[in-house]
């Protein structure tokens, strides 16, 4: 049976042994704390004077307890270093079974899974500089509970300027709603669609399954649109769909851009049926063979919701995304989001605003554009030089992924061969909507953005070795 000593200056709790004298009880409590690991090796203990004052006992009592434990080897005492817990192995209990040693589990050594930028290239120094400026200039309310559901006005103003200039978006700060990323934004929009009694959303025949799963959880069924070299077949849209989700600048995963005629057709569909276009501009800033195509939203800001994030341009760990919504829809989005901004930190928002306004964001995107273009060129060259069955690279020169076309029936075997070479890579089949009719394409969706520079050569060699 124990009771407790007061928590002393080192913020460590000692259990006092009942029925023992003060010195013996303190000695045993300290010994047990060191034995069990609650007092870690190297922990500096309070001086005998301080601990005696905290516990309300005589200083000599503490000094004697310390001396006994030093003699036993549980503590060390050196001039100028104070009294510390000794570095020693924790004794094994006689009745404890030896732990079973299991091999450490790990993932593949190399990865070309799409969707991740080069995290090693995150601009730490420039971000830290922006964070310092943001913190210095931050108004006091930035440290309080967020009250603006749209997000910080500083970031919305910075984004409005950038999106208008770089992506051709009609972006007024009042129409920008910040969110924690694309999935969060899509969740909010699904809530708006459900409130509007929409039952069906058209999606591209190949895309991310968790986007479709999210819509399904929100009670919205999805209907796939066909895909070809000109992007989604927008002519297949009907009045039965209340919205359509598209990646027009660079379709994921097929890698094509939505053709001009089809861009016009989807806007006409929205105007005729009252439908809503959800534009996922996930990597629209990264085009390598020509100037990036402007956002679809510029054709009709009243019918298109533009969604973007910092996930591909900077890092997904920032958890910052944004939506530019039609004026009449802002209040509907805010009603779903709630009265308080529960998304990213106000300080992170202010830092990104400072990062954009200083020009650091543009410089970073330009630098990454060169890096990813070089990666893509090296991928194409390596695949082209290899012997064996010809493997073509399809899709526009853009983004953080490329598509390797495989012989009919070869996709599964190549993915398995890649696993044997300790490489994670996805086949096109995993992105196919269950409702797509007919035989699917055999291809690899190669995400060349993720590997660090030091791992890139070995990763590329593993890919080439896995190809037929």
């Amino acid at each position: 049976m124990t009771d407790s000593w007061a928590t002393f200056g080192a913020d460590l709790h000692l259990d006092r042994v009942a029925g023992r004298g003060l010195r013996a009880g303190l000695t045993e409590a300290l010994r047990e704390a060191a034995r069990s690991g609650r007092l870690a090796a190297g922990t500096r203990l309070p001086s005998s004077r301080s601990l005696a004052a905290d516990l309300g006992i005589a200083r000599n009592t503490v000094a004697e307890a310390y001396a006994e434990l030093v003699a036993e080897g549980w503590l060390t005492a050196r001039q100028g270093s104070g009294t510390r817990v000794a570095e020693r192995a924790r004794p094994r209990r006689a009745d404890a079974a030896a732990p079973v040693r299991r091999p450490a589990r790990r993932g593949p050594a190399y990865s070309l899974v799409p969707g991740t930028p080069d995290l090693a290239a995150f601009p730490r120094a420039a971000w830290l500089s922006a964070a310092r400026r943001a913190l210095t200039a931050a108004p006091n309310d930035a440290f309080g509970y967020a009250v603006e559901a749209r997000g910080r006005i500083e970031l919305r103003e910075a984004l409005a300027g950038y999106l208008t200039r770089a992506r051709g978006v009609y972006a007024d700060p009042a129409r920008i709603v910040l969110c924690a990323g694309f999935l969060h934004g899509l969740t909010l929009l699904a809530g708006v669609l459900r409130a509007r009694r929409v039952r069906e959303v058209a999606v591209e025949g190949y895309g991310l399954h968790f986007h479709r799963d999210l819509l399904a959880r929100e009670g919205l069924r999805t209907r796939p649109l066909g895909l070809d070299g000109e992007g989604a077949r927008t002519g297949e849209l009907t009045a039965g769909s209340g919205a359509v989700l598209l990646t027009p600048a660079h379709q994921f995963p097929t890698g094509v851009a939505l053709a001009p005629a089809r861009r016009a057709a989807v806007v006409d569909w929205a105007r005729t049926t009252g439908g809503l276009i959800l534009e996922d501009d996930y990597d629209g800033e990264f085009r390598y063979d020509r100037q990036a195509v402007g956002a679809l939203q510029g054709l009709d800001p009243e019918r298109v919701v533009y969604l973007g994030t910092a996930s591909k341009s900077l890092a997904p760990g920032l958890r910052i995304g944004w939506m530019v919504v039609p004026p009449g829809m802002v209040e509907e989005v805010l009603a779903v989001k709630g009265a308080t901004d529960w998304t990213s930190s106000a300080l992170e928002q202010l830092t990104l605003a400072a990062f954009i306004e200083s020009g650091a964001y543009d410089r970073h995107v330009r630098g990454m554009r060169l890096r990813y273009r070089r990666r893509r060129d090296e991928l194409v060259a390596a695949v082209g030089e290899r012997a064996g069955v010809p493997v073509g690279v399809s899709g526009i020169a853009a983004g953080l992924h490329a598509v390797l076309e495989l012989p009919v029936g070869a996709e599964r075997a190549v993915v398995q061969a890649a696993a044997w070479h300790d490489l994670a890579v996805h086949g096109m089949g995993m992105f196919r909507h269950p409702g797509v009719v007919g035989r699917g394409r055999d291809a690899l969706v190669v995400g060349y953005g993720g590997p660090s520079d030091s791992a890139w050569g070995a990763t590329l060699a593993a890919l080439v070795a896995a190809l037929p």
Side-chain angles (χ1 to χ4, degrees), residues 172 263 337 362 375:
D172 184 278
R263 290 163 67 96
K337 190 179 184 188
D362 287 81
R375 290 271 182 94

Side-chain angles (χ1 to χ4, degrees), residues 232-247:
R233 296 186 184 125
T234 53
E236 297 176 2
L237 286 166
T238 68
S241 297
V244 58
L245 174 60
L246 298 172
T247 51

Side-chain angles (χ1 to χ4, degrees), residues 34-411:
R35 190 202 318 270
S36 67
R38 285 196 293 115
L39 280 176
T43 299
R44 182 169 182 167
L45 299 181
S47 68
S48 58
R49 185 188 303 275
S50 297
L51 184 54
D54 285 343
L55 300 181
I57 61 180
R59 180 184 178 187
N60 284 346
T61 301
V62 178
E64 290 170 2
Y66 278 4
E68 182 174 341
L69 293 171
V70 168
E72 293 177 2
W74 292 107
L75 304 181
T76 62
R78 293 187 179 91
Q79 186 69 29
S81 180
T83 303
R84 296 178 181 271
V85 178
E87 297 283 351
R88 55 176 293 150
R90 190 181 306 172
R92 178 182 295 180
R93 295 183 179 180
D95 59 345
V100 178
R101 187 176 299 276
R102 296 182 176 89
R105 299 185 65 183
R106 63 178 180 86
Y110 312 110
S111 175
L112 289 171
V113 172
T116 302
D118 185 352
L119 301 179
F122 183 82
R124 298 170 188 249
W127 186 262
L128 180 59
S129 178
R132 287 195 182 105
R133 293 195 305 274
L135 187 60
T136 300
N140 292 336
D141 66 0
F143 302 97
Y145 295 105
V147 294
E148 173 54 76
R150 288 179 176 85
R152 294 295 306 185
I153 182 61
E154 296 89 345
L155 179 54
R156 290 188 284 120
E157 288 177 341
L159 284 170
Y162 174 78
L163 294 173
T164 299
R165 168 173 53 82
R167 300 298 299 129
V169 174
Y170 286 93
D172 184 278
R175 295 171 53 186
I176 295 178
V177 179
L178 301 180
C179 51
F182 180 81
L183 283 177
H184 181 216
L186 186 60
T187 300
L188 298 177
L189 294 172
V192 171
L193 293 174
R194 193 173 59 251
R196 291 184 173 189
R197 300 187 183 280
V198 171
R199 295 290 179 265
E200 180 181 276
V201 177
V203 297
E204 294 159 329
Y206 284 80
L208 292 170
H209 69 85
F210 43 82
H211 293 173
R212 301 192 296 264
D213 294 344
L214 184 152
L215 293 171
R217 288 195 300 271
E218 295 295 323
L220 298 164
R221 62 179 178 270
T222 58
R223 187 171 68 85
L225 300 175
L227 282 166
D228 56 27
E230 296 187 337
R233 296 186 184 125
T234 53
E236 297 176 2
L237 286 166
T238 68
S241 297
V244 58
L245 174 60
L246 298 172
T247 51
H250 186 217
Q251 203 281 325
F252 185 87
T254 63
V256 299
L258 190 62
R262 294 186 180 180
R263 290 163 67 96
V266 70
V267 170
D268 288 342
W269 165 83
R271 291 171 177 170
T272 301
T273 65
L276 193 65
I277 303 168
L278 312 181
E279 178 180 12
D280 179 6
D281 195 33
Y282 74 100
D283 66 358
E285 295 147 315
F286 297 111
R287 182 76 186 252
Y288 313 130
D289 58 347
R290 51 167 288 177
Q291 183 71 23
V293 176
L296 178 64
Q297 190 258 14
L299 293 179
D300 194 339
E302 308 301 313
R303 296 292 179 186
V304 181
V305 177
Y306 175 91
L307 297 103
T309 76
S311 297
K312 304 299 183 289
S313 57
L314 284 169
L318 294 178
R319 304 299 299 151
I320 298 179
W322 46 86
M323 297 184 288
V324 184
V325 302
M329 190 177 168
V330 174
E331 293 304 321
E332 294 177 79
V333 173
L334 297 182
V336 175
K337 190 179 184 188
T340 303
D341 182 10
W342 294 104
T343 56
S344 53
S345 157
L347 294 181
E348 294 291 346
Q349 294 179 34
L350 292 174
T351 299
L352 180 55
F355 193 76
I356 294 172
E357 290 173 344
S358 70
Y361 187 85
D362 287 81
R363 290 191 294 272
H364 176 71
V365 168
R366 286 196 298 269
M368 297 309 294
R369 194 179 289 138
L370 293 173
R371 179 188 296 254
Y372 294 144
R373 177 175 183 170
R374 184 169 60 250
R375 290 271 182 94
R376 189 180 191 281
D377 289 345
E378 290 168 353
L379 169 66
V380 172
V383 171
E385 291 170 0
R386 60 172 299 283
V389 179
V391 174
V393 180
S394 64
I396 61 175
L400 279 66
H401 80 278
V403 177
L404 303 189
E405 300 291 344
L406 299 174
V408 175
E411 180 181 307

